[in-house]
Amino acid sequence: MSQKNRQPWDFGKFVETLSYFEVIPLLNWVQELFQGRPQDSQNKPDGDKKVGVILVAGATGGVGKRVVKSLLEKGYRVRSLVRDIEKARAILGNDTELVVADITKIETLTPLVMANIQAVICCTAVRVQPVEGDTPDREKYNQGVKFYQPEIVGDTPENVEYQGVKNLVDVAAKYLPQADVKTIFDFTQSSVNPNKFNDLSLNNLKNIWGALDDVVMGGVSSSNMIFTDNVAIFTGNVSTDNSGGFASVRTKNFQPSINLSGYEGIELRIQGDGKRYKLFVRTDSAWDGVGYSYSFDTVDGAWINVRIPFADLIPVFRAKVVKNCPAIDQSRVCSLQLMLSKFEYDGQLNPHFSPGTFALKIESIAAYGGHNLSRFVLVSSAGVTRPGRAGINLEEEPPAVRLNDQLGGILTWKLKGEDSLRESGISYTIIRPCALTEEAGGKELILEQGDNIRGKISRDDIAELCVQALQNTQACNVTFEVKATENSANHKNWENLFAGLETNK
Ligand SMILES: NC(=O)c1ccc[n+]([C@@H]2O[C@H](COP(=O)([O-])OP(=O)(O)OC[C@H]3O[C@@H](n4cnc5c(N)ncnc54)[C@H](OP(=O)(O)O)[C@@H]3O)[C@@H](O)[C@H]2O)c1
């Protein structure tokens, strides 16, 4: 376009845009906008971790320390809930975050302990030791091999196995991401549903979404987000004058950022005008960092749901695809942006673009597909339903069943702890091991329901089972017993193992 055809550029709108997003316009920054600059690696999100934080309670215990190790090896972010930090560091090393809390004291389960958790694995237990005391050759970890007369020391089973577990369940329910769908913006309610992760409310919707048009590059396009009673409308006029060609609306940075770990992607409920739009997701609070983008087509006048898998997002820096950029870090989504642009990526043209007025109606923006990773895994015990059960031959039963009364009702309270989880509405996996041993893992496992089996299983195998249960949808909302056979099975088909389990039992 020749200079005399250029439209007057609206400097006032430029300043307004920058101040809305609290950006201080430095001259070199503006120059960089026009000229481009090399990618600043420090601005890249470090999103190489799989999911949000996994909280392990009882992390210093026999099973707990193995769970921590296995999670770390698989690349999870692990937070260990411990009572004694020095002891924990010696057992667990430096790769896990440590938080001090006591599950029997609900006031210690603070936001510091619970923030951004994706799942909980609870391996806590009251202390059971031989009546004669704990000696290296008779200590509790050998109980599964040779039985010594046990007794409870320290806190009671009622406190730890029931009240403590219930405390953790109650608090986790407030922090674990909701199953399946997490609403980010629900415009049909004329309000924002922040799902407890921040304080957005109807009154400040206009303070969240602001226009970000090509005025920042000298263009004259103009758009905004309009809020009616039951819909938001991204609308305006996009012009290619002055070498421009995009209009967009962007949220200010969410504070705190939103943890969408474990979800498959973002779903938009929209009605468009047949044009192709883009969604940008940002994990970097910097104004001008990498955005993860996805182009989607609309159908003129029709309400449709558009699912945008996180895995399909393209890392983009100023309309150029960023090579070798890590996958998006879903645990810290800090802003969203909707755009209508003349361009796709790397200078390619948007095939469904025409300048002029446009309107994209939006009913909701949500994360979808989050059912499988938000989970509370509880290590309980085989035998919890056996004390007092008709037809039980105590002689044949494991010591904890026989000695339930002498051990402060340990199994009875464990069952009550389980109940609190089943009734909580959280996605759960309750694992009831037979006698635990210190033997090497990697054995073939037998999973059953109904609480009838007897046997033994290595703590290594229980730890691995906890971690696999987290990753497997078939292990969602199930309670089962488990023991090992003598056969080795290092490469288990976990899906098949969980497949036969009945849910909500
Ligand atoms: N032993 C068996 O044969 C057998 C059989 C079936 C099921 N189970 C169950 O399997 C699970 C794991 O057993 P395990 O042998 O690994 O247990 P463990 O070694 O005794 O570990 C128990 C863990 O719970 C922690 N803990 C206890 N009270 C706590 C509290 N109030 N707040 C926070 N943490 C607390 C302990 O922390 P500290 O280090 O601070 O003490 C320790 O880390 C337990 O639920 C157990 O009942 C055991």
Side-chain angles (χ1 to χ4, degrees):
M1 178 178 291
S2 70
Q3 200 57 33
K4 71 175 182 338
N5 287 339
R6 278 183 75 88
Q7 297 252 348
W9 179 59
D10 189 342
F11 181 72
K13 193 170 169 225
F14 171 71
V15 172
E16 201 182 296
T17 301
L18 296 182
S19 39
Y20 181 90
F21 290 102
E22 289 150 13
V23 178
I24 301 180
L26 299 171
L27 202 60
N28 63 352
W29 179 85
V30 178
Q31 274 168 352
E32 281 164 4
L33 257 184
F34 288 99
Q35 293 158 9
R37 62 161 186 183
Q39 173 66 42
D40 178 355
S41 61
Q42 284 181 337
N43 277 340
K44 282 200 225 159
D46 59 351
D48 58 343
K49 298 282 185 182
K50 281 185 191 156
V51 294
V53 178
I54 313 290
L55 181 70
V56 181
T60 49
V63 171
K65 67 181 181 190
R66 291 166 167 96
V67 167
V68 172
K69 183 165 179 273
S70 171
L71 287 170
L72 288 172
E73 282 168 1
K74 292 180 173 66
Y76 288 91
R77 289 162 59 177
V78 184
R79 184 177 301 154
S80 298
L81 184 163
V82 302
R83 294 191 290 185
D84 178 337
I85 209 146
E86 302 289 317
K87 171 181 169 184
R89 201 48 88 198
I91 294 175
L92 300 170
N94 294 321
D95 294 336
T96 173
E97 203 183 309
L98 297 180
V99 285
V100 175
D102 181 327
I103 60 167
T104 64
K105 301 185 177 106
I106 197 162
E107 68 279 6
T108 66
L109 302 174
T110 59
L112 192 73
V113 176
M114 309 303 294
N116 296 322
I117 54 167
Q118 179 64 44
V120 177
I121 301 182
C122 179
C123 323
T124 52
V126 286
R127 187 155 182 82
V128 185
Q129 67 176 40
V131 180
E132 299 89 345
D134 225 354
T135 57
D137 61 331
R138 259 180 201 210
E139 54 123 30
K140 64 190 250 355
Y141 289 129
N142 292 318
Q143 294 271 322
V145 182
K146 183 169 181 348
F147 177 67
Y148 297 95
Q149 189 68 27
E151 68 176 356
I152 300 281
V153 288
D155 215 341
T156 62
E158 179 178 0
N159 275 348
V160 180
E161 310 288 357
Y162 169 56
Q163 196 56 57
V165 168
K166 184 173 185 313
N167 287 342
L168 192 57
V169 166
D170 288 349
V171 179
K174 297 188 187 129
Y175 285 86
L176 284 170
Q178 304 282 305
D180 293 327
V181 169
K182 177 166 178 158
T183 305
I184 304 170
F185 290 100
D186 182 358
F187 301 112
T188 64
Q189 305 298 312
S190 298
S191 63
V192 176
N193 178 351
N195 256 1
K196 299 174 200 146
F197 46 68
N198 56 26
D199 282 323
L200 312 181
S201 72
L202 173 63
N203 292 338
N204 59 18
L205 261 179
K206 286 191 181 137
N207 277 330
I208 297 163
W209 289 91
L212 176 49
D213 300 320
D214 56 16
V215 65
V216 294
M217 305 178 68
V220 294
S221 300
S222 163
S223 73
N224 215 335
M225 191 78 135
I226 295 171
F227 302 98
T228 70
D229 274 354
N230 54 10
V231 80
I233 311 170
F234 165 40
T235 184
N237 181 52
V238 67
S239 163
T240 53
D241 289 351
N242 295 10
S243 309
F246 78 84
S248 82
V249 283
R250 175 168 162 173
T251 65
K252 286 183 183 167
N253 285 332
F254 303 127
Q255 283 180 343
S257 56
I258 305 173
N259 183 356
L260 299 182
S261 303
Y263 290 87
E264 277 173 40
I266 290 185
E267 185 166 53
L268 309 175
R269 171 95 184 131
I270 49 157
Q271 186 196 65
D273 46 13
K275 296 185 175 171
R276 176 177 291 187
Y277 292 82
K278 282 178 193 163
L279 175 80
F280 283 87
V281 183
R282 284 191 168 73
T283 56
D284 185 347
S285 58
W287 159 256
D288 189 28
V290 171
Y292 291 79
S293 170
Y294 185 90
S295 300
F296 58 93
D297 290 325
T298 60
V299 182
D300 192 7
W303 279 104
I304 56 170
N305 288 0
V306 177
R307 286 199 157 190
I308 301 173
F310 286 118
D312 291 354
L313 289 170
I314 300 170
V316 171
F317 183 69
R318 296 192 197 141
K320 290 206 175 65
V321 174
V322 180
K323 303 264 177 327
N324 304 320
C325 189
I328 188 165
D329 180 356
Q330 295 170 219
S331 71
R332 50 192 191 104
V333 169
C334 66
S335 76
L336 299 175
Q337 182 176 11
L338 287 163
M339 181 181 281
L340 176 60
S341 173
K342 176 181 166 184
F343 292 103
E344 282 282 276
Y345 310 101
D346 294 333
Q348 286 182 343
L349 290 175
N350 175 351
H352 302 298
F353 174 83
S354 55
T357 55
F358 67 90
L360 178 70
K361 291 183 182 165
I362 309 130
E363 273 188 356
S364 60
I365 302 177
Y368 71 91
H371 52 285
N372 53 350
L373 283 167
S374 170
R375 192 80 60 82
F376 194 118
V377 179
L378 176 64
V379 182
S380 178
S381 178
V384 285
T385 67
R386 291 181 224 176
R389 190 203 282 176
I392 284 283
N393 179 357
L394 282 183
E395 295 309 306
E396 291 175 357
E397 289 299 322
V401 178
R402 260 184 290 135
L403 299 171
N404 186 50
D405 288 346
Q406 289 98 305
L407 293 174
I410 185 168
L411 293 180
T412 313
W413 292 115
K414 267 191 174 301
L415 181 62
K416 286 201 67 156
E418 286 187 4
D419 288 340
S420 75
L421 177 55
R422 275 184 292 262
E423 288 158 11
S424 68
I426 303 175
S427 300
Y428 66 86
T429 307
I430 297 174
I431 300 174
R432 295 171 168 172
C434 292
L436 293 179
T437 75
E438 292 288 294
E439 292 163 16
K443 292 284 191 278
E444 184 182 78
L445 303 184
I446 295 173
L447 275 52
E448 278 206 20
Q449 292 177 294
D451 195 18
N452 294 307
I453 57 171
R454 289 186 284 270
K456 63 175 185 172
I457 179 166
S458 141
R459 285 184 173 83
D460 287 349
D461 281 335
I462 288 296
E464 194 54 29
L465 188 59
C466 289
V467 176
Q468 295 294 337
L470 263 195
Q471 301 170 333
N472 204 300
T473 40
Q474 313 252 36
C476 193
N477 296 340
V478 295
T479 301
F480 61 87
E481 299 77 46
V482 58
K483 66 176 179 178
T485 72
E486 290 303 325
N487 304 331
S488 291
N490 276 316
H491 303 289
K492 299 183 187 62
N493 185 334
W494 294 99
E495 242 167 69
N496 280 359
L497 260 181
F498 294 125
L501 298 172
E502 247 183 88
T503 53
N504 298 317
K505 279 191 79 178

